Amino acid sequence: MASLTTIIYVIRHGESQNNVSDNIGGDPKLTEKGQLQARTVGEKLQNVYFDAFFSSDRLRTKQTAELVRLERKLAITTSEAIRERHYGILEGKLHYQLQGNLRELKRLVDELVYQKCEYYKKELEIETTDEVIARF
């Protein structure tokens, strides 16, 4: 009896404007370097057969998927369910701006990724790990 195997390739988006500017979250587009990175991955996978392409609905991830897909005639299915974590009130802030109390808040946010703390979740509007997983 033949064995059926499913292989899933998970590819991180190419460099985005927020990676360069050090912003938290948001929906930036890819930089030229990010576009090149995505094309390079696509070229390295050009001989791999794909049944489907999936991407979050964020601009940088859709751009990456389009560039990796290259000449393949496959649609890219997008979904909010595979977005990265939402960082609440910290979205759009620059890391270097997180000084004093805000830097401490950011530290707490990073800590909360691994803890279940409803108080901070409510105050900062940050998705819990359980909420991220529940999207699936």
Side-chain angles (χ1 to χ4, degrees), residues 33-120:
K33 179 179 178 181
Q35 292 173 28
L36 176 62
Q37 291 168 332
R39 273 192 223 90
T40 300
V41 170
E43 289 166 5
K44 289 183 179 190
L45 297 174
Q46 68 184 345
N47 295 321
V48 175
Y49 174 79
F50 288 94
D51 288 312
F53 277 85
F54 297 91
S55 169
S56 86
D57 61 339
R58 296 298 191 172
L59 178 60
R60 64 188 176 273
T61 59
K62 289 188 295 188
Q63 288 178 314
T64 300
E66 289 166 1
L67 293 166
V68 169
R69 179 182 60 180
L70 295 172
E71 303 300 316
R72 294 176 181 95
K73 304 290 187 223
L74 290 172
I76 298 170
T77 302
T78 61
S79 173
E80 289 182 20
I82 53 178
R83 279 186 184 176
E84 67 187 5
R85 178 183 308 275
H86 184 267
Y87 281 93
I89 64 171
L90 300 179
E91 289 277 323
K93 303 275 191 241
L94 296 172
H95 284 277
Y96 80 84
Q97 291 175 320
L98 301 179
Q99 298 174 9
N101 291 338
L102 201 50
R103 186 175 298 279
E104 177 60 14
L105 274 177
K106 173 67 167 79
R107 187 190 66 72
L108 289 172
V109 167
D110 290 342
E111 196 174 293
L112 288 174
V113 169
Y114 304 103
Q115 297 177 10
K116 294 178 183 175
C117 183
E118 289 301 311
Y119 171 77
Y120 287 111

